[in-house]
Amino acid sequence: DAEITQSPRHKITETGRQVTLACHQTWNHNNMFWYRQDLGHGLRLIHYSYGVQDTNKGEVSDGYSVSRSNTEDLPLTLESAASSQTSVYFCASSADRVRGYTFGSGTRLTVV
Amino acid sequence: QKEVEQDPGPLSVPEGAIVSLNCTYSNSAFQYFMWYRQYSRKGPELLMYTYSSGNKEDGRFTAQVDKSSKYISLFIRDSQPSDSATYLCAMRTGGGADGLTFGKGTHLIIQP
């Protein structure tokens, strides 16, 4: 069955370190998204991609970057982790721009 | 003013009751409306998807959109303890260029 997987499920890192969160989908979806979810803020869009080599900034992109070298993967990199980036990160994908998304199970990141 | 407003709850109702969950929004360009259900420590899953105004029914779930009032609702009939979760509304513009905008979610508790 097609799926979208995120790794790791949990990560603890130190302030200033570079961290990469993985997202891999086997739906063959062109569109992929990264959100963070925080109490009091809900889900906020970080970056998104509508195809290979395409990346776009979302609402809260500062301190994050993505690259899309193939259809299946959209890794999210925190260039220099900060305590404010402690959050739960969700990756999602969709077949087109108007349908709902399929979400991964999330990565819980703690920056100490 | 946030683009999408949703009462965080918690909303606690007895098993078998009809549940009404709501969101209001300010952006008149939103045309696609969705409801997601999120269990604790899981990713959101798509429940309902509607385009423009009107009603859509799927089993015990009914989604309503009133674009003139900028108001959307999700009704759950014959509520079950397994419906206990956080319900997120989400919406996007017709072009869909910048992803989904989510409400913060309503925490629903169905008492056995």
Side-chain angles (χ1 to χ4, degrees), chain A:
Chain A
D1 287 347
E3 60 182 0
I4 179 166
T5 55
Q6 293 184 236
S7 61
R9 290 298 309 273
H10 303 273
K11 175 107 180 139
I12 300 175
T13 191
E14 295 178 343
T15 300
R17 290 195 178 265
Q18 184 181 79
V19 177
T20 296
L21 309 182
C23 176
H24 179 80
Q25 53 97 3
T26 57
W27 291 97
N28 200 33
H29 286 165
N30 284 325
N31 308 318
M32 297 184 72
F33 309 85
W34 274 104
Y35 283 84
R36 61 178 288 176
Q37 188 174 39
D38 305 284
L39 279 174
H41 290 281
L43 282 161
R44 292 181 291 173
L45 183 63
I46 305 171
H47 280 286
Y48 58 102
S49 169
Y50 287 141
V52 176
Q53 303 300 331
D54 175 73
T55 61
N56 306 279
K57 294 181 179 181
E59 176 189 358
V60 290
S61 60
D62 287 349
Y64 304 93
S65 64
V66 294
S67 62
R68 187 90 179 271
S69 58
N70 58 51
T71 300
E72 296 79 18
D73 299 288
L74 186 69
L76 177 71
T77 297
L78 286 69
E79 304 294 343
S80 177
S83 57
S84 60
Q85 294 176 309
T86 292
S87 186
V88 181
Y89 291 86
F90 288 102
C91 179
S93 70
S94 71
D96 57 45
R97 298 190 186 194
V98 297
R99 299 185 195 184
Y101 301 168
T102 300
F103 281 85
S105 297
T107 293
R108 186 172 296 271
L109 177 69
T110 303
V111 182
V112 297

Side-chain angles (χ1 to χ4, degrees), chain B residues 13-87:
Chain B
V13 301
E15 183 176 356
I18 296 175
V19 175
S20 173
L21 303 166
N22 311 293
C23 287
T24 60
Y25 63 94
S26 57
N27 187 349
S28 58
F30 286 139
Q31 292 188 29
Y32 298 88
F33 303 91
M34 296 152 217
W35 286 94
Y36 284 82
R37 177 175 63 196
Q38 185 176 22
Y39 292 114
S40 180
R41 298 186 177 269
K42 299 289 186 182
E45 56 178 325
L46 182 65
L47 268 182
M48 300 286 287
Y49 166 86
T50 56
Y51 169 69
S52 196
S53 288
N55 294 357
K56 184 174 182 178
E57 187 173 321
D58 184 2
R60 296 186 296 111
F61 299 91
T62 299
Q64 279 187 356
V65 175
D66 182 349
K67 290 190 71 180
S68 63
S69 301
K70 297 189 178 67
Y71 188 88
I72 69 171
S73 301
L74 177 70
F75 298 95
I76 307 174
R77 292 182 298 280
D78 187 25
S79 56
Q80 305 294 311
S82 59
D83 294 327
S84 298
T86 296
Y87 289 79

